[in-house]
Amino acid sequence: MNKSELIEHIAKQADISKAAAGRALEAVIGGVKTTLKKNGTVSLVGFGTFSITKRAARAGRNPRTGDAIKIKSAKVPKFKPGKALKDAVN
């Protein structure tokens, strides 16, 4: 399912226009991004939790030349599914 199909699904299930469903989806995504940017977590009971983890700096290799390179540390978004989502999938 891509974004436009998700918007269609939301519009149909909530009985609202596609434009309103698109704005609602953008608002949810924007809220998650903003919270994660501030190193917060977003917990949706039954669905899962979005959080930020820190990846340490490490040494890597350039696949083209084989030279050693330094890879900077980074913040990485992480999603942990909730029990209800796990149960729905299995």
Side-chain angles (χ1 to χ4, degrees):
M1 176 179 280
N2 62 29
K3 189 174 182 179
S4 62
E5 291 170 340
L6 182 57
I7 290 171
E8 270 185 52
H9 180 76
I10 292 169
K12 187 185 241 184
Q13 292 296 315
D15 195 26
I16 57 176
S17 70
K18 285 184 187 179
R23 288 191 304 271
L25 181 60
E26 288 299 325
V28 170
I29 292 170
V32 171
K33 282 182 186 178
T34 302
T35 303
L36 293 179
K37 220 175 201 182
K38 295 177 182 175
N39 290 327
T41 61
V42 177
S43 296
L44 303 172
V45 176
F47 184 71
T49 302
F50 296 92
S51 62
I52 290 288
T53 59
K54 293 182 178 159
R55 187 170 29 194
R58 62 193 192 279
R61 294 228 172 254
N62 181 334
R64 183 173 290 169
T65 63
D67 294 340
I69 58 172
K70 292 180 183 176
I71 301 172
K72 294 181 190 176
S73 61
K75 293 182 196 175
V76 181
K78 182 174 111 176
F79 176 74
K80 182 178 177 188
K83 185 178 181 336
L85 180 60
K86 289 179 188 176
D87 291 345
V89 172
N90 290 319

